[in-house]
């Protein structure tokens, strides 16, 4: 870990991500004294603001996006004093000199957060280098999208690597900053009871669902050029799969954790032209109702025809000793009935039930790890219903709940970006994604898209407010499995 940065440089400082996540997260870190008092925060974007204008902009963002119970109002003036601003057209090399001048002495130990369009990565990196903002103690955080396929991702990574070595490159996947995702590691590797069963002998299948109730929500240009496979599966969902499936790292540090994740990603069985039809389902929402409110279909929102998928369901396999034969079902979509992100670990049934002759039905145990909207871990176990059992033994599935909100009621729940920004400032790369991980993910996703093209697959329509096309149900039910809705 390097020493803490003296300055933080935010690209895209007036964008939606900055308003909703970055500025509120940095304010929380400031209010709790978790960042150095002299850390200067410099924002840059196209908007023609000055320091005073940006501070007013940031103040409005805090009022809008920080809940009142978290709003430490006495800390606002001190936070706003940290903020500086330089207008910049990232494609214009001449503008970076003013940016370098504004950063000043902090350039010697600087953290950069880069949230920009993929086509601007190369000129931005070149401009930073020319302005002296890429020295040996400068690290850069890269927000997605990092390309649209393996080739474009490599081009971006090559451009970054020409100036910033891998050790100083922090690729951001905000799911890795969520408390429940990190609790998945604690659940697996800090509790002896799970590890003996965490393999093909003990687990029948795994489900990972990330569902959204929203539609395009102002992301028209980006999402229609991306689709759900590249927007959600390639990064968030494959990272969750890797954390579920990886071997125990020797240490909780960046190299050990990421070494084990990349082994999983490289062990994913390709879904190619031969298996795309049987192992994938794609859909696009039509008009319907979400939460009782009528909503338009995707093409109506977009304003033109499109074959972009808003729903994906996949059947994946990790071909290694631990997971041989265990299916991993992945599902993500927009305009679903509920907003939820969860991992389901379905254990195998007991080999013999001594209760069957007395009428007791035994269900296999299930572990539910919910990331949002609530953060909780639930283990479903069998218990006997109270009674004298004269008409047979009745067994019932009951939950053992760990609500993180309740269990840690005295601890403040943090936005994922609070942790990730603090780790970027302090130089800890453990929860960031390494280049070989990204490229393994893209290689797997590119094969799926090639399979869709080769087989002429287009999205099946599903009404908004439902769980996707009926073919997604068939994907699991032909294996005797039902989605956990």
């Amino acid at each position: 870990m390097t020493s803490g940065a003296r300055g933080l440089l935010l690209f895209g400082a007036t964008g939606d991500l900055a308003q909703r996540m970055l500025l509120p997260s940095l304010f929380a870190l400031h209010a709790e004294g978790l960042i150095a008092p002299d850390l200067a925060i410099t924002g840059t974007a196209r908007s023609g603001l000055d320091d005073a204008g940006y501070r007013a902009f940031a103040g409005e963002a805090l009022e809008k996006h920080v809940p009142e119970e978290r709003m430490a109002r006495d800390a606002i003036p001190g936070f706003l004093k940290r903020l500086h601003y330089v207008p910049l057209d990232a494609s214009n090399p001449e503008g970076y000199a003013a940016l370098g001048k504004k950063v000043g002495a902090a350039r010697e130990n600087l953290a950069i957060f880069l949230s920009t369009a993929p086509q601007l990565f190369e000129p931005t990196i070149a401009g930073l280098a020319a302005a002296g903002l890429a020295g040996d103690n400068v690290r850069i955080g890269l927000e997605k999208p990092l390309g649209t396929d393996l080739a474009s991702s490599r081009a971006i990574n090559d451009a970054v690597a020409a100036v910033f070595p891998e050790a100083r490159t922090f690729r951001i996947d905000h799911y890795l900053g969520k408390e429940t995702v990190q609790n998945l590691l604690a659940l697996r590797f800090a509790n002896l009871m799970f590890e003996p069963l965490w393999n093909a002998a003990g687990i029948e299948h795994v489900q990972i669902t990330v569902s959204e109730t929203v539609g395009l929500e102002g992301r028209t240009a980006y999402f229609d050029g991306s689709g759900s496979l590249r927007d959600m599966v390639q990064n968030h969902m494959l990272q969750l799969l890797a954390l579920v499936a990886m071997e125990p790292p020797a240490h909780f540090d960046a190299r050990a954790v990421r070494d084990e994740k990349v082994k999983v990603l490289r062990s994913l069985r390709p879904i190619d032209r031969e298996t795309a039809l049987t192992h994938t389902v794609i859909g696009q929402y039509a008009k319907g109702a979400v939460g009782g409110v009528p909503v338009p279909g995707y093409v109506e929102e977009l304003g033109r025809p499109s074959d972009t998928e808003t729903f994906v369901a996949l059947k994946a396999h990790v071909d290694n000793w631990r997971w041989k034969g265990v299916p991993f079902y992945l599902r993500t979509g927009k305009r679903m009935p509920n907003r939820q992100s969860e991992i389901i670990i379905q254990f195998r049934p007991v080999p013999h039930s001594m209760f069957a002759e007395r009428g007791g039905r035994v269900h296999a145990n299930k572990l539910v790890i919910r990331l949002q909207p609530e953060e909780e871990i639930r283990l479903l176990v069998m218990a006997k219903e109270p009674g004298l059992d004269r008409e047979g033994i009745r067994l019932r599935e009951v939950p053992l709940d760990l609500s993180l909100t309740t269990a840690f009621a005295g601890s403040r729940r943090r936005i994922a970006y609070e942790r990730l920004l603090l780790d970027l400032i302090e130089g800890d790369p453990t929860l960031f994604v390494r280049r070989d991980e990204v490229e393994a993910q893209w290689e797997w996703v590119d094969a799926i898209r090639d399979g869709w093209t080769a087989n002429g697959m287009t999205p099946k329509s599903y009404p908004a407010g439902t769980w996707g096309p009926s073919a997604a149900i068939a994907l699991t039910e032909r294996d005797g499995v039902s989605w956990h809705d």
Side-chain angles (χ1 to χ4, degrees), residues 404-485:
L404 298 183
T405 304
T406 302
F408 302 105
S411 301
R412 192 174 75 75
R413 312 303 298 158
R414 295 191 176 277
I415 303 172
Y417 279 98
E418 291 180 38
R419 177 181 296 274
L420 296 176
L421 284 166
L422 186 60
D423 284 353
L424 174 63
I425 290 166
E426 294 182 345
D428 183 353
T430 305
L431 298 179
F432 296 83
V433 185
R434 204 166 60 191
R435 177 172 180 165
D436 53 355
E437 293 180 70
V438 174
E439 295 187 353
Q441 291 168 183
W442 274 122
E443 186 173 359
W444 194 70
V445 163
D446 282 358
I448 295 173
R449 292 188 61 81
D450 177 67
W452 292 351
T453 301
N455 288 283
M457 294 176 63
T458 55
K460 301 176 185 296
S461 180
Y462 65 94
T466 66
W467 285 106
S470 58
I473 299 174
L475 178 71
T476 59
E477 292 203 342
R478 59 174 169 253
D479 297 334
V481 173
S482 296
W483 289 107
H484 184 267
D485 293 337

Side-chain angles (χ1 to χ4, degrees), residues 19 29 92 99 147 152 158 205 212 218 243 252 387 427 431 440:
Q19 295 179 64
L29 296 175
N92 183 2
L99 187 61
S152 59
D158 286 345
H205 72 266
E212 300 176 283
L243 291 171
F252 186 57
L431 298 179

